[in-house]
Structures are given as structure tokens and as C-alpha cells.
Amino acid sequence: MERERLVVVGNGMAGLRLLEELKAACPGRYAVTVIGAEPEPAYNRVLLSSLLAGEASDEDLAFRDRAWYAANGYRLLTGAPVQSIDAAARKATLKDGRVFAYDRLVLATGSEAVRLPLPGAHLSQVLVFRDRCDAMRLKALGGHGKRAVVIGGGLLGLEAAYGLVQIGCAVTVVHLMDKLMERQLDAKGAATLRRALEAKGVAFALGAESKGVVGVEKVEGLELGSGEILPADMIVMACGVRPNVTLGRAAGLAANRGLLVDDAMRTSDERIYALGECAEHRGVVYGLVAPAYEQAKTLARRLAGDEAAYDGSLLSTNLKVSGVSVFSAGAIEAEDGDETLTLSDPGHGCYRKLIVRDDRLKGAILVGEASDALWYLDLIASGAALGPLRDDLAFGRGFAMAA
């Protein structure tokens, strides 16, 4: 019996995890072709700031080499952007003209960096920070004595700022909001993070609008809405990403922000699936790795013939932002009737906030020290009653479990 042809468009972290899950769930069941637009196989995007900072090598970012794909029967194409998808004919056409027929198709096309339409944004020293090539360009432009302005005080912007500071740049982060990482942190948590980053050499302009790039043939600065000009040799736009839905939308798939998928990760075309940052499930587009991995597991089981369903993911962030541990999960602000437990040690750059509702942990923010992050995440996810843990909850797992 001839195997079904499965084409996976996108060889990022989500696409690779699907291949790994397929290997576990139904090895050899499909004739798999993986098509990636980037020149190399999937790598760890989480380490891009470390690569920029010189703290990680290309080898550190690598996941699986080409031999792994071949050994598992996966045909891998890199540096091969897909031009179009013909859903009726079940064909994917590459920009170089090659055509691949499929029985089932998976779109794992990720996100693309948002570029603000500012005057002067066309200059070559105005960059984004999204992939390995971006990191290499930043590294080439940066160095001691160079001035960089990073637009965006979310995760991407702070990671770019840290990497640039580490290679000797003078860095200012410009953020439209009045606090950093406003989606993950409350005001005190954001202030704690800001102080920690200032101590590492990052300057900030918060509540500031970017008006235009100053310079004719090369970048000379960034003009703010206030009229102030921040001198700069380079500008990094790290003000968000948008789901890369161009291919899917052009193929007629239903889309909002992302490609709409059901609990089976299936799009509006029953033979086409989507996962990761390009997918929208129950109104949510997840821009994090963990949900993409959960989606990949569900989809692999579906492709193996199981009735697996993806119910959504608990939004959580657990990482080092510019060398500072930051964790956020669940609610970040209390509602009426909630209890708020906080511990703050500004001298050591540590902040902890827990939100308790009806004897259950509903949210947690940790800045500076996050060793108990996964324990708190389990408590939030399980919805278990806290009981005697409640009194010592803010002091961490060691105290609470010993009490």
C-alpha cells in the first residue's frame, strides 16, 4: 500500500517537534517532505540573544542535523520558500518552480517581525530581530562605541538590547507603554526588571512614541514623539510579530489573526493543518514555544489515527530576560475578592507576586529568582486547593512543603 504524502511547510521549532512526535507516534506511516525557507535546518530561536552576545555558538543552537532527517525517512529542503498552495489540486509550488503534491499538508510557517512604517525605516541600519540572519547582521553592525536604539520593551526587544550591550553597544530601549513586558508583568515586577537591566547597562525611554528615523544615507538617530532625538548608529525594530498567514490565506483558508484551527489542529480545509505561531485556536494565537509543542503532540497523534484533541494552553512565560529570571503565568492582576501575596527585595532585584482565588492559585509573577516557577505553574494548571500550603506559599516550595 502506497504511503500518504505529508508535506510540512516550515522547519522551525514547531515543524521539527511535529517530526519528532511523528517518529514516536507512527514512524514510517507517511512519505514526509519538509520544506523550510531558511538556509539551515531548525534551530533554537530562544538562544538568538545568546548568539548575538557571543555566549552561544551555532552548534549550541542546532537541534537535529541533516543526517537525522534522512535517517528517519524525512526529505528535507532548506532555503526553499513556498510560493503558493493549490488546495483543490493539493499541490505546493516553490519559488524556484518545483511542485510537490500532497495528501495532507501542515503549515508551520511561524511569525514575521513587525516593521513600523516610520519615515527613514528603509535605511539599511534599521533591522529586525527574528532569526539567525538578523542576529548575524546585528553582530556585524554592533560593537564597542556603537549606539543602538531598540524599539520595543517586550521580550524580543529586551533580548536584542541585552545581546547588543554584551558586545559593547550603548543601548536605549524605546517603549510605547509605561512599563516593560506589560502582557506578562505588573507595575512592580516591570520596575524590578527595569532596574536589573539598567544595572547591566541598558537605558530606557518608556511611554515614548517613535516618530521617525533620522538620517539620509545612514541612520543617525530616532526622533521621538516629544521631539527628542536619540542618537543611534542602528535601530532595531522589536515591537512584535504577526502570524505568517499569507500562504494559507491565499489558498483560501479561513483566517483571523492566525489560520483558524479546530481541536484537531485542522484548518477550514480538512486536508490542511496548522500549528505554532501561524495558528489561531479558539481565538488565541500563542507566540510561545510550549503551546506549539503541545499542538505538535496532538497533531502527530491525530495523523497516527488517534482521536487526540488540543484544549488550549495555559499562558506562561518562564525564561531569562537579558540574564534576569522572569516567570509569569495566569492572572497578573487581582480581581475583586482575590488575595494578593507579595515578596519584594529591591536590593537583590527580586519580586514575587501570587494571586489566590477561592483557595486556588490563579496567577504568579517572579522576577530575579524563579527556581520555583514550575511548581507554581503546576499549582495553577491543576487548580488544586492550596489548604495548608497557603500560609507559606509566597516563600516557595521548600518552605510551603515543609510546613
Side-chain angles (χ1 to χ4, degrees), residues 319-364:
L319 35 77
K320 278 193 181 293
V321 179
S322 306
V324 181
S325 293
V326 173
F327 170 77
S328 172
I332 63 173
E333 298 292 354
E335 297 178 2
D336 289 343
D338 290 351
E339 296 178 86
T340 302
L341 314 177
T342 59
L343 281 178
S344 181
D345 185 350
H348 286 89
C350 295
Y351 174 74
R352 180 172 297 186
K353 172 180 173 180
L354 306 172
I355 296 175
V356 176
R357 184 181 308 156
D358 300 326
D359 196 40
R360 286 165 173 78
L361 185 61
K362 289 296 180 181

Side-chain angles (χ1 to χ4, degrees), residues 85 87 107 109 112 242-260 267-268 272 278 280:
I85 293 163
L107 293 174
T109 50
E112 58 187 0
R242 62 169 64 92
N244 198 344
V245 299
T246 306
L247 266 180
R249 202 188 291 274
L253 302 180
N256 187 14
R257 277 193 65 227
L259 299 172
L260 302 183
T267 68
S268 54
I272 302 179
C278 69
E280 179 173 333

Side-chain angles (χ1 to χ4, degrees), residues 8-20 34 42 69 106 108 275 293 296:
V8 180
V9 179
N11 186 228
M13 295 173 74
L16 173 59
R17 178 53 68 99
L18 174 63
L19 300 182
E20 293 174 336
V34 191
Y69 292 84
V106 177
L275 79 162
Y293 283 1

Side-chain angles (χ1 to χ4, degrees), residues 109-117 130 156 239-246 249 257-258 277-279 285:
T109 50
S111 295
E112 58 187 0
V114 172
R115 291 190 72 106
L116 298 178
R130 181 64 186 151
L156 271 179
C239 37
V241 296
R242 62 169 64 92
N244 198 344
V245 299
T246 306
R249 202 188 291 274
R257 277 193 65 227
E277 295 179 352
C278 69
V285 175

Side-chain angles (χ1 to χ4, degrees), residues 144-390:
H144 288 281
K146 294 296 182 71
R147 301 162 302 179
V149 170
V150 176
I151 303 175
L155 173 60
L156 271 179
L158 298 181
E159 291 284 17
Y162 174 70
L164 289 167
V165 163
Q166 290 299 99
I167 60 173
C169 294
V171 181
T172 301
V173 173
V174 174
H175 193 43
L176 191 58
M177 303 301 177
D178 61 0
K179 66 177 184 178
L180 303 175
M181 293 185 68
E182 68 277 356
R183 293 181 182 177
Q184 293 90 7
L185 300 177
D186 65 352
K188 288 185 177 179
T192 303
L193 177 59
R194 175 182 176 175
R195 286 192 296 270
L197 297 181
E198 286 174 334
K200 293 175 179 291
V202 182
F204 293 93
L206 300 183
E209 180 185 3
S210 300
K211 187 176 180 181
V213 178
V214 179
V216 179
E217 294 184 354
K218 65 178 183 178
V219 167
E220 296 175 7
L222 179 72
E223 183 180 359
L224 304 181
S226 64
E228 179 185 0
I229 293 177
L230 300 176
D233 302 299
M234 57 193 292
I235 292 173
V236 184
M237 292 188 179
C239 37
V241 296
R242 62 169 64 92
N244 198 344
V245 299
T246 306
L247 266 180
R249 202 188 291 274
L253 302 180
N256 187 14
R257 277 193 65 227
L259 299 172
L260 302 183
V261 297
D262 61 15
D263 292 355
M265 306 310 300
R266 187 170 42 222
T267 68
S268 54
D269 183 312
E270 65 178 10
R271 289 185 173 270
I272 302 179
Y273 305 82
L275 79 162
E277 295 179 352
C278 69
E280 179 173 333
H281 176 263
R282 299 184 189 177
V284 180
V285 175
Y286 296 96
L288 299 167
V289 174
Y293 283 1
E294 292 171 12
Q295 293 171 359
K297 189 176 187 68
T298 297
L299 179 51
R301 289 179 56 198
R302 274 279 171 169
L303 291 170
D306 295 342
E307 291 297 311
Y310 175 68
D311 295 324
S313 298
L314 172 65
L315 282 173
S316 67
T317 302
N318 185 19
L319 35 77
K320 278 193 181 293
V321 179
S322 306
V324 181
S325 293
V326 173
F327 170 77
S328 172
I332 63 173
E333 298 292 354
E335 297 178 2
D336 289 343
D338 290 351
E339 296 178 86
T340 302
L341 314 177
T342 59
L343 281 178
S344 181
D345 185 350
H348 286 89
C350 295
Y351 174 74
R352 180 172 297 186
K353 172 180 173 180
L354 306 172
I355 296 175
V356 176
R357 184 181 308 156
D358 300 326
D359 196 40
R360 286 165 173 78
L361 185 61
K362 289 296 180 181
I365 294 173
L366 311 176
V367 178
E369 204 292 309
S371 57
D372 288 323
L374 295 182
W375 180 63
Y376 287 125
L377 182 61
D378 285 343
L379 288 175
I380 296 170
S382 69
L386 296 172
L389 294 177
R390 160 66 182 77

